């Protein structure tokens, strides 16, 4: 029952009993005065006090709502209490305050003052206490507890009176000195006591009785038993004793035993309930602790870094082990940080904006950049949820490191972008196909070469791109590759025939790559239209054949020259010599001179023919590239030149260790010509100085042969290397004009260049590269 | 008895005259036998054709062989000489205008004993003839007679 209700009903009950007493006196209804005929009657002052105290009880706790009812309650309590106080004073001092007269004068009683009897002393004490108790109620904890104690005392007084009536105690000699309390008075006091307890339900016994705990339940069950059992057993004992079944001692023994039995049974039952309740509580506590530990463990050992931060201060409240590992801060360091400290400066505005948007039920997320202790930036995917942690509004955060994933994604995207850029810009056709041989990719180069649109051929079979006669071979080859993975085409470059959209065929060069992707094989082919190259190759082959024919003709010509052109010269010289020998006198000086000129001319012509043949041989000879020690060659040649002219003085300065790749025989001829020339054109120089070395020329290494001889005029430099071109007369220096042409041809055949610098009278330098 | 003769295979009459003159100047001209082409040279050496019945025991001390010859050229003559037991060891000197490398290579690989290029200068030519006569007729020991059979 609601304590307020109980209090109000108890108050109303007390008022009713009080009214009954007063009305009983007024109207002379004895039953209303004493409830049971012949018993002590309620004093009319007691009735009035009960009415006042009952009203006070009804009003006492509504003081919060209205100050007036509070004051009325206090006034009624004081009034009721005062009546008790006056009666008690009269008892103790025999001073009569004249209450009976006052009541009579107020016409509240119809009986004379002598009949009213006196108010019982316990009644006066009970009324006084109840008044004080009612004044105490509802102020503070300690006053409420005092009110409860007072209620207990009032209750005990009432209980004693009731039990006394029940057992007919008024007959008892020991109690005869006390005036008996009327039954209705005792019930009224009991009601006041109960109401008083209910008036402060938050404290003490009331709180226990009202509580929904096990103790509350037990208290509610035990209270009536504890109260009624001894009362009932005492009454039964008295009844048995009066019936003469047993004496006073036997009755007492029976009663005490019965009380012990009943109370022990109920105590045992209570203890049992209590122990079960305790066990249940412990079980729940353990389960709770375990569950809490489990969840804590889930947080602590979670491989994903996690933490809880205070939504107001942004400080870390707790972090798990993974966060400590990932971010490099110890838990203690974390507690001094805020979530701002693990972010790059430039991300803070975004962070603050995101925090401002977290609502009371905030679940959040997104990808953020976090900074570890050593400054490394991580890309993390964050999931968060708002909660209350250690009494603070907080946010639980799980931060999953996706740096590697992001990097891999970026690398993949870059790789794809590279491939796309390459494929889109390539002039070659790039075509990919799947395991079924259907086109999955067709680049712009392929569109251009084949004349198909990518959109129309995607999904079509590859055979679309080849002439009918090759399709069967392609299909069987494709199937064979899928079955055996034996690469006959994959990884090689092949020349095939392609088919354009307009039906025309063209030669293609194809290289094919295959790769495995999960359980699928895919292919990418790079195809090049080699029509133009084919044409060029054919032309080149034609030229090569023509060149071979021309070379063969030249060879035959040179052969014939070497045999046939010299024979007449031998005749001319030989017979001129015969004439000079056999007919010397008859010829005379002039005749002999003429014949000698004929001989010289024919010999010179033989020399020219030999030089020409040498030049032609340089052209025709095959080039055998090998490592050539140019320094050694130059040394040999210079030694030969000295040997040829033992009387000449001249200095050769040859750099050591000049090596090159080339044809030794041809390079020897070239050096022979260059050094021979230098030797020849320094014949009239007093201190001839000939040098062979290297110099840097426009970033490449050039060899040079330098002399300080006759030199030449740079105006004629372009004529130096022409066949039969001479800058000196035969009278000055001998020569055919073939030597430098031969040198140039040899250098050109090696892929090099040759040029010269010179000054008349100061010497010349011939450069060549290889 | 060994016949100390020289067989000159030469189609050019001018060269023949000049060669003979050069040898005569060096006193070896008396023993010079001249044939005009490759076929005649083979007839002479194997005793066939116009030379049928010639005493093959009287073979020349050395053959001076030109390369450019009518009918059968010098290299072919040399090949046939070397292919025949009777002339396999006969000293053959190639005497020609050419100094083309392939002529030299072919000549030597077919078994020529020497290769001399005819100089245009007659003085040089006379000197060459002198040295040839001196070497092949006087200094060189010919292969044993048996091979001529």
């Amino acid at each position: 029952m609601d304590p307020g209700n109980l209090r109000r009903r108890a108050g109303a009950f007390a008022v009713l009993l009080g009214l009954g007493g007063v009305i009983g006196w007024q109207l002379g209804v004895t039953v209303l005065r004493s409830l049971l005929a012949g018993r002590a009657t309620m004093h009319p002052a007691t009735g009035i006090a009960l009415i006042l105290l009952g009203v006070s009880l009804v009003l006492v706790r509504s003081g919060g709502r209205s100050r007036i009812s509070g004051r009325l309650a206090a006034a009624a309590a004081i009034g009721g209490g005062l009546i008790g106080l006056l009666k008690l004073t009269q008892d103790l001092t025999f001073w009569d305050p004249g209450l009976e007269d006052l009541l009579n004068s107020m016409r509240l009683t119809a009986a004379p003052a002598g009949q009213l009897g006196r108010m019982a002393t316990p009644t006066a004490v009970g009324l006084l206490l109840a008044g004080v108790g009612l004044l105490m109620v509802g102020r503070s904890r300690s006053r409420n507890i005092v009110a409860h104690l007072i209620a207990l005392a009032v209750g005990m007084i009432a209980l004693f009176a009731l039990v006394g009536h029940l057992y007919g105690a008024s007959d008892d000699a020991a109690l005869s000195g006390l005036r008996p309390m009327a039954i209705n008075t005792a019930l009224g006091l009991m009601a006041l006591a109960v109401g008083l307890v209910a008036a402060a339900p938050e404290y003490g016994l009331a709180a226990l009785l009202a509580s929904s705990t096990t103790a509350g339940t037990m208290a509610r069950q035990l209270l009536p038993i504890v109260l009624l059992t001894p009362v009932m057993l005492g009454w039964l004992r008295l009844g048995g004793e009066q019936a003469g079944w047993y004496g006073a001692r036997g009755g007492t023994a029976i009663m005490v035993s019965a009380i012990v039995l009943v109370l022990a049974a109920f105590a045992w039952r209570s203890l049992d309930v209590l122990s079960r309740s305790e066990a249940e509580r412990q079980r729940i506590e353990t389960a709770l602790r375990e569950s809490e530990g489990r969840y804590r463990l889930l947080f602590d050992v979670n491989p994903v870094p996690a933490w809880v931060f205070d939504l107001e201060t942004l400080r870390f409240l707790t972090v798990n082990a993974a966060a400590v590992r990932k971010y490099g801060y110890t838990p203690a360091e974390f507690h001094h940080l805020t979530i701002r400290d693990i972010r790059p400066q430039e991300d803070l505005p975004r962070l603050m904006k995101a925090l401002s948007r977290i609502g009371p039920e905030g679940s959040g997320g997104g990808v953020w950049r976090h900074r570890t202790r050593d400054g490394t930036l991580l890309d993390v995917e964050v999931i968060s949820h708002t909660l209350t942690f250690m009494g603070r509004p907080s946010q639980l955060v799980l931060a999953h490191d996706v740096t590697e994933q992001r990097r891999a994604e970026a690398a993949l995207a870059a790789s794809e972008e590279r491939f796309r850029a390459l494929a889109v810009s390539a002039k070659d056709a790039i075509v990919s196909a799947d395991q079924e041989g259907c086109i999955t990719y067709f680049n712009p180069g392929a569109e251009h070469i084949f004349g198909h649109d990518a959109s129309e051929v995607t999904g079509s079979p590859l055979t679309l791109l080849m002439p009918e006669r090759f399709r069967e071979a392609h299909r069987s080859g494709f199937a064979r590759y899928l079955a055996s993975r034996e690469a006959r085409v994959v990884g090689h470059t092949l020349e095939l025939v392609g088919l354009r959209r307009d039906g025309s065929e063209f030669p293609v060069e194809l290289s094919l790559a295959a790769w495995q992707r999960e359980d699928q094989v895919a292919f990418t082919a790079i195809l090049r239209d080699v029509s133009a190259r084919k044409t060029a190759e054919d032309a080149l082959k034609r030229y090569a054949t023509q060149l071979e024919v021309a070379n063969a003709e030249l060879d035959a010509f040179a052969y014939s020259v070497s045999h046939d052109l010299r024979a007449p010269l031998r005749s001319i010289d030989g017979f001129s010599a015969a004439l000079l020998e056999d007919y010397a006198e008859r010829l005379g000086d002039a005749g002999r001179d003429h014949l000698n000129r004929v001989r010289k001319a024919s010999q010179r012509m033989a020399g020219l023919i030999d030089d020409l043949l040498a030049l032609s041989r340089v052209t025709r000879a095959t080039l055998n590239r090998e490592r050539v020690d140019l320094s050694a060659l130059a040394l040999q040649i210079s030694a030969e030149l000295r040997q040829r002219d033992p009387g000449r003085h001249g200095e050769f300065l040859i750099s050591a260790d000049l090596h090159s790749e080339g044809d030794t025989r041809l390079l020897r001829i070239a050096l022979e010509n260059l050094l021979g020339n230098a030797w020849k054109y320094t014949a009239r120089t007093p201190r001839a100085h000939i040098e062979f070395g290297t110099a840097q020329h426009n970033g490449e290494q050039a060899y040079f042969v330098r002399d300080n001889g006759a030199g030449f005029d740079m105006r004629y430099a372009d004529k130096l290397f022409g066949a039969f071109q001479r800058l000196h007369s035969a009278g000055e220096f001998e020569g055919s004009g073939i030597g430098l042409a031969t040198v140039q041809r040899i250098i050109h055949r090696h892929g090099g260049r040759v040029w010269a610098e010179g000054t008349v009278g100061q010497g010349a330098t011939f450069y060549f590269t290889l | 008895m060994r016949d100390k003769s020289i067989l000159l295979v030469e189609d050019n009459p001018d060269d023949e005259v000049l060669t003979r003159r050069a040898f005569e100047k060096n006193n070896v001209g008396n023993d010079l036998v001249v044939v005009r082409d490759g076929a005649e040279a083979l007839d002479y050496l194997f005793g066939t054709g116009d030379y049928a019945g010639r005493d093959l025991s009287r073979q020349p001390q050395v053959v001076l062989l030109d390369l450019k010859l009518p009918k059968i050229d010098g290299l072919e003559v040399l090949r046939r000489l070397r292919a025949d037991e009777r002339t396999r060891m006969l000293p053959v000197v190639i005497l020609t205008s050419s100094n083309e490398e392939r002529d030299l290579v072919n000549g030597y690989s077919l078994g020529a004993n020497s290769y001399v290029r005819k100089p245009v200068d007659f003085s040089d030519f006379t000197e060459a003839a002198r040295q040839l006569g001196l070497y092949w007729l006087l200094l060189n020991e010919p292969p044993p007679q048996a091979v001529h059979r």
Side-chain angles (χ1 to χ4, degrees), chain A residues 22-184:
Chain A
V22 173
I23 290 168
W25 282 107
Q26 178 91 31
L27 302 179
V29 182
T30 319
V31 171
L32 286 178
R33 288 185 222 151
S34 62
L35 282 183
L36 287 175
R39 296 285 175 157
T41 54
M42 183 191 284
H43 193 276
T46 304
I48 289 165
L50 281 179
I51 292 168
L52 285 173
L53 291 171
V55 167
S56 172
L57 189 59
V58 171
L59 294 177
V60 73
R61 282 299 290 241
S62 49
R65 268 179 273 148
S66 136
R67 294 178 71 91
I68 295 166
S69 60
R71 290 201 181 150
L72 273 177
I78 290 168
L82 204 56
I83 289 172
L85 182 64
L86 288 174
K87 280 314 233 178
L88 186 61
T89 310
Q90 188 182 2
D91 267 1
L92 294 175
T93 59
F94 301 99
W95 165 73
D96 186 357
L99 263 181
E100 284 79 7
D101 302 335
L102 181 68
L103 291 170
N104 283 332
S105 65
M106 287 167 73
R107 298 205 148 277
L108 271 173
T109 55
Q115 284 178 13
L116 288 178
R118 287 178 62 184
M119 188 185 282
T121 306
T123 305
V125 172
L127 291 175
L128 174 61
L129 286 175
V132 173
L134 279 167
L135 285 174
M136 288 289 171
V137 160
R139 299 290 162 90
S140 71
R141 180 185 155 79
S142 54
R143 293 179 70 155
N144 275 314
I145 286 171
V146 170
H148 276 184
L149 290 172
I150 288 170
L152 204 59
V154 173
M156 283 315 293
I157 290 167
L159 184 65
F160 180 76
L162 284 173
V163 173
H165 278 291
L166 187 61
Y167 297 170
S170 48
D171 309 335
D172 208 321
L175 292 174
S176 58
L178 287 174
R179 278 181 303 278
M181 191 187 290
I183 294 173
N184 41 1

Side-chain angles (χ1 to χ4, degrees), chain B residues 78 82 88-94 107-108 111-115 136:
Chain B
L78 179 59
R82 291 299 180 241
R88 199 162 58 86
M89 297 190 190
L90 186 65
V92 175
V93 173
I94 292 171
Y108 277 117
N113 298 78
S114 190
Y115 191 109
W136 291 107

Side-chain angles (χ1 to χ4, degrees), chain A residues 555 559 562-564 566 569-571 573-575 577-578 581-582 599 603 606 610 617 620 665, chain B residues 12 14-15 17-18 21 25 68 96-103 117-123:
Chain A
D555 205 37
Y559 189 72
S562 86
H563 279 278
D564 298 342
R566 285 164 57 93
L569 292 175
R570 265 200 316 280
S571 297
D573 187 77
F575 290 110
E581 281 171 19
D582 298 353
R599 286 195 64 192
Q603 282 160 23
D610 281 353
R617 213 171 285 143
R620 287 178 288 132
R665 233 167 39 116
Chain B
N12 185 340
D14 283 6
D15 274 359
V17 171
L18 292 170
R21 183 183 174 91
K25 285 181 78 120
K68 263 202 114 188
T96 183
S97 300
S98 151
N99 65 345
E100 283 292 298
E101 190 175 276
R102 63 172 138 138
D103 286 341
R117 193 190 184 206
K118 295 174 191 168
V120 166
D121 187 334
F122 187 65
S123 320

Side-chain angles (χ1 to χ4, degrees), chain A residues 190-217:
Chain A
M190 187 57 87
L192 286 177
V194 170
L196 201 51
V197 169
E202 303 92 342
Y203 306 100
L205 187 63
L208 188 63
L209 285 169
S211 85
S212 59
T213 62
T214 313
T217 311

Side-chain angles (χ1 to χ4, degrees), chain A residues 547-562:
Chain A
L547 195 64
E548 254 170 57
V549 170
N551 262 340
E553 279 169 4
L554 181 65
D555 205 37
F557 173 72
Y559 189 72
S560 133
V561 163
S562 86

